[in-house]
Amino acid sequence: MFAQSVVVAAVLGGAVLPLSVPAESPTVSVVCHRGGVLTGTMVPGTGSAGQSIHREADVWGCSSPVLPGITSGHFTADLPWNSLDAPSPGQFAWDEGSVSRVIGQPNGLWTIVDGPGSGHTLRFDLAGEMNVWWYHWNNSMAVESLSFLD
């Protein structure tokens, strides 16, 4: 999955600042070359004030040896609103009828825990910058592609 980080010292205006840089970057491979909009809707749930963010997105133009025969899919998940430390369950329902269950981490990555692609980690490549706060609020953003990080 991810390599360990290396701490490097940088000099900025005479002060030495430690920086953490990845020792190696993960291999990124595009799984689905197109996407719709990753929506965010406030719903009753488990987050702050008893609410969650329901997310959905369609992806298509899919081609990967890890997901043989799959050309498109529909993603759904409920993320606890304003809660940055809880993994979130979700799923990809694929066009050929299978389902990949996923667990989302607060960093926006989704690991497939059951179904096609099990053990691999996915990332939505969005049209704008996404941070952990954005993911846990009811915002929507265009999906450019879906990638595996290995």
Side-chain angles (χ1 to χ4, degrees):
M1 299 265 182
F2 290 104
Q4 293 182 345
S5 295
V6 176
V7 177
V8 178
V11 177
L12 179 64
V16 176
L17 304 172
L19 301 175
S20 178
V21 295
E24 285 184 39
S25 296
T27 301
V28 177
S29 59
V30 176
V31 177
C32 300
H33 293 271
R34 306 287 291 166
V37 173
L38 182 61
T39 62
T41 306
M42 191 82 72
V43 296
T46 61
S48 177
Q51 297 176 313
S52 290
I53 303 300
H54 179 75
R55 293 219 171 269
E56 292 195 32
D58 289 315
V59 292
W60 61 92
C62 306
S63 176
S64 170
V66 178
L67 299 173
I70 292 172
T71 60
S72 65
H74 181 76
F75 169 78
T76 57
D78 289 317
L79 292 76
W81 179 68
N82 201 22
S83 176
L84 307 181
D85 58 358
S88 304
Q91 72 174 28
F92 283 89
W94 303 113
D95 63 328
E96 42 74 90
S98 67
V99 174
S100 295
R101 288 195 340 249
V102 295
I103 296 292
Q105 300 301 320
N107 60 6
L109 301 178
W110 297 90
T111 300
I112 301 174
V113 295
D114 186 44
S118 188
H120 292 271
T121 299
L122 293 164
R123 173 188 75 195
F124 283 101
D125 303 313
L126 302 174
E129 183 177 341
M130 184 282 300
N131 61 37
V132 69
W133 284 106
W134 180 90
Y135 237 121
H136 288 84
W137 285 77
N138 57 334
N139 301 304
S140 297
M141 192 179 302
V143 176
E144 293 182 343
S145 60
L146 181 70
S147 299
F148 275 132
L149 302 181
D150 292 315

